[in-house]
Amino acid sequence: MPEKLKQMQAIFSEESAKYGVLPLDNDSFARALAARPSATTGKTIFTYTGVNAGINSSNAPNILGRSYMITAEVEVPQGGGDGMLVTMGGRWGGYGLYLLKGKPVFHYNMLVLAQYHCEGQEALTPGKLTIVFDYTYDGPGVAKGGTGVLKVDGKVVATQKQPNSIAFLQVADETFDVGVDTRTGVNDKDYQVPFAFNGKIDQLTVKLGPMQLTENDQRVRQLAFAVAND
């Protein structure tokens, strides 16, 4: 039906021009890095209470390429805490801070290529506790490693040296969740979703340091933005 095809092509061209789709190109990298609307642009401190599930990655704290600190003020139930405190990502990459049979864990899934696991050796006592994961990035530069320190009420319970990290983009088809894990888990060996926390999250805070890019990284990033928005 060549005439119908021509008609459909003409409608596509008209609608594409109307809604800013044109010009079409296959520069997926530049488009992936392009800035998108976000309710959290410029924020460096994120605070949550209770359970918050299904937050889109564009509105979540972006820990890539920087130092960060996650602070969870929780109430651990009798019998030991279990469940997710906060996570971003899933089976193909991301991180999770959770309690596993009473023990605090920070797990980083490096795009399935590596798994970095930081776990306290003792189960937590019931009651109100503050769990912190403090990560120092080895920048400047993209995809660098760093060192994470896991603390409970100010006491260091584990440390983890991480040789590399995810570059540029958080896993786009997953979500940021507090108190539960939706979609897929970052560590199937430890838990299965939804892995809801069986205690109470009084407050969870994510504090971001500045992006640590080299001058060349910044030029590449700015060029990618310019190409995507041209």
Side-chain angles (χ1 to χ4, degrees), residues 19-168:
Y19 293 105
V21 175
L22 300 176
L24 296 176
D25 67 65
N26 64 350
D27 196 339
S28 58
F29 178 73
R31 288 188 178 275
L33 290 181
R36 287 171 171 76
S38 171
T40 59
T41 299
K43 284 180 64 69
T44 58
I45 299 177
F46 298 73
T47 303
Y48 309 88
T49 57
V51 177
N52 291 262
I55 297 175
N56 188 276
S57 60
S58 63
N59 291 326
N62 185 353
I63 68 170
L64 304 186
R66 66 182 80 202
S67 298
Y68 59 90
M69 182 167 62
I70 302 173
T71 302
E73 299 174 26
V74 303
E75 296 181 33
V76 177
Q78 294 291 331
D82 212 42
M84 184 60 67
L85 300 179
V86 61
T87 181
M88 175 65 228
R91 181 171 298 134
W92 309 113
Y95 68 87
L97 175 64
Y98 51 91
L99 298 188
L100 182 66
K101 298 179 181 178
K103 297 179 181 181
V105 174
F106 184 86
H107 187 89
Y108 191 96
N109 181 341
M110 175 56 194
L111 302 176
V112 193
L113 300 173
Q115 305 286 342
Y116 305 126
H117 194 80
C118 187
E119 179 174 347
Q121 297 303 303
E122 298 181 0
L124 304 181
T125 57
K128 291 193 174 186
L129 298 170
T130 299
I131 302 168
V132 173
F133 184 75
D134 192 357
Y135 183 80
T136 302
Y137 187 68
D138 291 339
V142 298
K144 300 291 186 179
T147 302
V149 179
L150 187 60
K151 305 176 185 178
V152 177
D153 284 346
K155 178 184 176 181
V156 176
V157 297
T159 60
Q160 173 69 57
K161 176 63 179 178
Q162 188 175 306
N164 51 21
S165 62
I166 298 171
F168 299 117

Side-chain angles (χ1 to χ4, degrees), residues 134-211:
D134 192 357
Y135 183 80
T136 302
Y137 187 68
D138 291 339
V142 298
K144 300 291 186 179
T147 302
V149 179
L150 187 60
K151 305 176 185 178
V152 177
D153 284 346
K155 178 184 176 181
V156 176
V157 297
T159 60
Q160 173 69 57
K161 176 63 179 178
Q162 188 175 306
N164 51 21
S165 62
I166 298 171
F168 299 117
L169 294 171
Q170 299 188 107
V171 179
D173 60 349
E174 294 281 351
T175 57
F176 178 81
D177 305 303
V178 177
V180 68
D181 191 354
T182 59
R183 303 197 181 183
T184 64
V186 294
N187 184 3
D188 290 338
K189 293 182 179 179
D190 273 1
Y191 69 90
Q192 298 298 311
V193 295
F195 200 43
F197 180 50
N198 64 351
K200 180 183 178 183
I201 299 176
D202 293 327
Q203 183 168 289
L204 186 133
T205 303
V206 181
K207 184 177 181 179
L208 303 177
M211 287 285 289

